Amino acid sequence: MSKFNNLKSLFCLALLVFAQQNQAQTQEEDEHGVHGRSQEYVAPTDPQVLEKLEEWKDLKFGMLIHWGIYSVPGIMESWNLCSEDWIERDSTIAYNDYKKWYWNLDKIFNPVNFDPDSWAEAGEAAGMKYMVFTTKHHDGFNMFDTQQTDYKITNGPFQNHPKANVTKYIFEAFRKKGFMIGAYYSKPDWHSQYFWWDKYATPNRNANYDIEKYDWRWNKFKEFSYNQIEELMTDYGSVDILWLDGGWVRPKETVNDEVRAWGAPIPDFSQEIDMPKIAEMAREKQPGIIFADRTVHGPYENYQTPERKIPETKLDNPWESNLPLGNNWGYVPNDPFKSSTTVLHNLVEVVAKGGNMLLGIGPKPDGTIPLEVVDQLHEIGAWLDKNGEAIYGTHAIDDYQEENIYFTEKEETIYAIAMFEDDVKLPKTITFSKNLPSEYAKIKLLETGKKVDFRIKNGTIEITLPKEIRSAKNSSGVAFSIEN
């Protein structure tokens, strides 16, 4: 008993030390781990994939959930394990000691308040339509009951909980709400001896041994990855998206200037895990599943995923902006969150440019979503309840923006969405010159469903905002449907 208490005390001391560090990583620091959008796109040919991709494109708004042992001390997910020069750690702690401390966080990760139904309810309240959950991040800790390793949520203090296999119950909860289900899976695995071998140091994010010299070891890693993905495709119900992160694990011939621009070292060997074999298995078990092999342009990147950014212009290929609510993807105490208005502005801009938006949320180590996050999700959803017709199921048009006004289209209807900053007094009229309707058009304010007065003069339309709308507080924007 005394040994247990000593161990527990050491962990608590370590948590205090690391919590005192500046854990809220800046965007500049984190961009070393950011994946930009691929510049090439190869459209899928499988009719079932194309059908599901069209369905996904109509959903527009999703939730990306980063949750793992990094939530215990509340630090940036996984990256502190990586020995690259942009990573900041406490300089009084030796690197190998840090890794031991980090990987032993599984011994105290015990999310006793885990309630996946409340997560799904928050996502539904926000107006989200699909989700992606991190079944395993780069640190190699598995949030599902894999049989390939003991380093998993079902092999620690949470193992006797009835919902210990958290991925299973998260997928079920969101599936019951009608969400499309996405499984995030990190291709690199820094805990695996087949990726980071203890025989050598771990200088960067790549495999730390020559995989051509030790091809048997890399083949074991490929087998390990295949088996884990097969488990996810077999034992967790219907999965719509396989969202593969860690784009530096890729065939060498696909390394290009985009990859080199990340600033990460490029090894001489090819870190490929046999995606053709994985894809064949996954589509046999989950017909029509969408692959997002991030940044690895080719047949397994069915949509592109610019991270922490919105493309400057409209894109015609399927794409998704990944934006965290705070500075971090996972839970970090006192992380500054974007306002609901900022999130909505981002969503409207993304949709007008032809994309989807995946908003990053980080649950706490006890298994709950922070209450302030839940409140924001409700605020976002309240706006979408009134204006979602201009978002869901729409597509981009060429003249998609005029200053603070964005345009979308669905069938024969054009939507004009005027966005405003927080607490700005709304104008009496909304004016624009692009996408002008006829003078006989029927224009409705979506929030009320009522027709509004307008006039067209000198190539500009002027729409009158009702007084009750102008006097409303905290209006992030107003949307109109325009039918000629």
Side-chain angles (χ1 to χ4, degrees), residues 348-364:
V348 169
E349 181 180 355
V350 164
V351 171
K353 291 178 176 178
N356 285 18
M357 191 177 91
L358 194 61
L359 185 67
I361 301 297
K364 295 166 67 176

Side-chain angles (χ1 to χ4, degrees), residues 162-269:
K163 294 182 178 178
N165 190 2
V166 298
T167 293
K168 178 177 187 287
Y169 293 99
I170 291 168
F171 285 177
E172 284 184 359
F174 281 88
R175 201 179 284 121
K176 284 189 295 186
K177 295 290 188 181
F179 277 58
M180 190 176 273
I181 303 300
Y184 172 118
Y185 180 85
S186 168
K187 292 184 292 182
D189 188 317
W190 295 335
H191 189 266
S192 171
Q193 287 294 304
Y194 302 135
F195 196 88
W196 273 4
W197 187 8
D198 279 349
K199 179 178 179 179
Y200 298 111
T202 53
N204 53 53
R205 68 188 68 188
N206 298 299
N208 71 330
Y209 62 94
D210 186 335
I211 66 177
E212 292 176 344
K213 181 178 179 180
Y214 297 103
D215 59 335
W216 61 271
R217 184 169 286 272
W218 187 255
N219 286 334
K220 292 293 289 183
F221 183 67
K222 290 199 290 188
E223 179 184 341
F224 171 83
S225 301
Y226 179 95
N227 289 344
Q228 284 205 313
I229 294 173
E230 184 177 39
E231 290 172 338
L232 291 169
M233 298 296 99
T234 305
D235 302 330
Y236 294 84
S238 175
V239 179
D240 303 288
I241 304 163
L242 179 59
W243 210 87
L244 298 171
D245 203 5
W248 59 95
V249 175
R250 64 196 295 143
K252 184 179 179 181
E253 62 269 20
T254 69
V255 174
N256 55 21
D257 289 341
E258 298 165 44
V259 179
R260 296 183 190 96
W262 300 345
I266 308 296
D268 293 331
F269 42 77

Side-chain angles (χ1 to χ4, degrees), residues 386 389 442-452 479 481:
K386 300 172 183 175
E389 183 185 333
K442 181 171 67 175
I443 301 180
K444 288 183 179 180
L445 180 66
L446 294 188
E447 186 171 332
T448 63
K450 296 179 180 179
K451 288 195 292 185
V452 291
S481 64

